[in-house]
Amino acid sequence: MTTSIDHGGAGRFATLTFEREVAAPPSTLWQAWTAPAARAVWAAPTPAVTVEFLEADTRVGGREISLCKVAGQPDIRCEAGWLELRPAERSVNYEVISSEGVTQSAALVTASVSGTSESSRLRVTVQLSSLAEDMEAGYRQGFGAGLDNLTGVAQRTMILQRMIKAPRSVVWGAWMNPEALPQWWGPDGFSCRTQRIDLRSGGEWVFDMIGPDGTVYPNHHLYHDVRPEERFGYTLLWGENGPKHADAWGAFEEVDGGTQVTLGMVFATAAEFQEAKGFGAIELGLQTLGKLDRFIASR
């Protein structure tokens, strides 16, 4: 649903409201709404638009800067700053749109999340001030399409979390150390056989996961947006240079002397997400985080 209220046409002020029902729990929807790797998947309103993220820092006081690119048109710059973040409940951010050095609009965006263990409702209110020209129609179209994309992304997103009783630097080191990662990665009973590994931004990990019965599962991870001790993003491919399986990320948050680890995956298709759930990907993923915990404890 989209509504708008004009508060004085001369000033071009408008309030736009969007609502979406999402077949995912609030915690998953929240990750899809706020995690930079997930936002990069759904941000472009149409296939004709490419969104390039220059900066992304999802915390109160952090900001996100992106460029919307359309062939033959000037880039549109979007700067957003997070003012409030209440996980799985509410976010507030400002947003300033500009093009060729001219500020087009400023807006306050409030998102509220509610729901059950199976489904969520997202309500987004945009308090818009058009500056260079009337931006209401563009906002209605762009936000509406983006939230439609978000709905689809959230419904094929898998979130795994584990609290580890160790400092964030230690947990990060166990994950992003090329010698350590292959020692613990994978569910119980699985091992890794590495061909190439470079865990820096722009690097890759080409490896085979070997199951307890000897079955070989080729994997290829492409790493990007590596922010030491905070987060990293990567793309999962089915074998070396194979088709995309998922866009994924790891995030690390200090909590009471320990580290909250979040592993998120946006599967390439809803069918792949359902298939992964069906063969126990959630349970197997939690086993993997359990192996990380035990690896750190053993050190």
Side-chain angles (χ1 to χ4, degrees), residues 48-206:
V49 179
T50 300
V51 179
E52 177 186 354
F53 283 83
L54 306 180
E55 184 177 330
D57 185 1
T58 309
R59 57 185 168 185
V60 174
R63 67 176 185 173
E64 178 181 280
I65 299 176
S66 60
L67 297 177
C68 291
K69 300 171 177 276
V70 178
Q73 299 183 20
D75 291 349
I76 297 174
R77 183 182 188 273
C78 176
E79 177 180 332
W82 297 100
L83 304 174
E84 182 182 26
L85 290 164
R86 297 183 187 177
E89 293 183 10
R90 170 185 163 98
S91 73
V92 181
N93 67 273
Y94 71 79
E95 181 174 286
V96 178
I97 302 295
S98 61
S99 180
E100 298 185 306
V102 178
T103 302
Q104 304 289 324
S105 63
L108 186 68
V109 181
T110 303
S112 299
V113 177
S114 61
T116 67
S117 61
E118 299 295 330
S119 63
S120 307
R121 169 172 288 182
L122 175 67
R123 179 182 176 90
V124 178
T125 301
V126 181
Q127 295 168 272
L128 172 66
S129 177
S130 298
L131 301 175
E133 59 182 82
D134 193 342
M135 298 284 285
E136 181 179 343
Y139 256 79
R140 183 183 296 114
Q141 179 181 12
F143 253 88
L147 293 179
D148 288 343
N149 293 342
L150 168 65
T151 298
V153 164
Q155 292 172 176
R156 62 179 196 273
T157 295
M158 186 175 292
I159 302 297
L160 307 172
Q161 292 184 313
R162 187 178 181 101
M163 178 63 70
I164 296 179
K165 294 181 179 179
R168 185 165 62 171
S169 60
V170 172
V171 180
W172 176 267
W175 198 310
M176 297 302 285
N177 182 319
E179 295 182 0
L181 177 60
Q183 295 184 50
W184 61 264
W185 181 261
D188 294 343
F190 282 70
S191 61
C192 294
R193 181 172 57 207
T194 296
Q195 298 178 38
R196 298 190 303 277
I197 185 167
D198 180 356
L199 304 178
R200 296 171 297 179
S201 184
E204 62 179 349
W205 184 22
V206 181

Side-chain angles (χ1 to χ4, degrees), residues 238-250:
W238 287 112
E240 186 170 2
N241 299 317
K244 181 193 290 189
H245 181 42
D247 294 286
W249 68 93

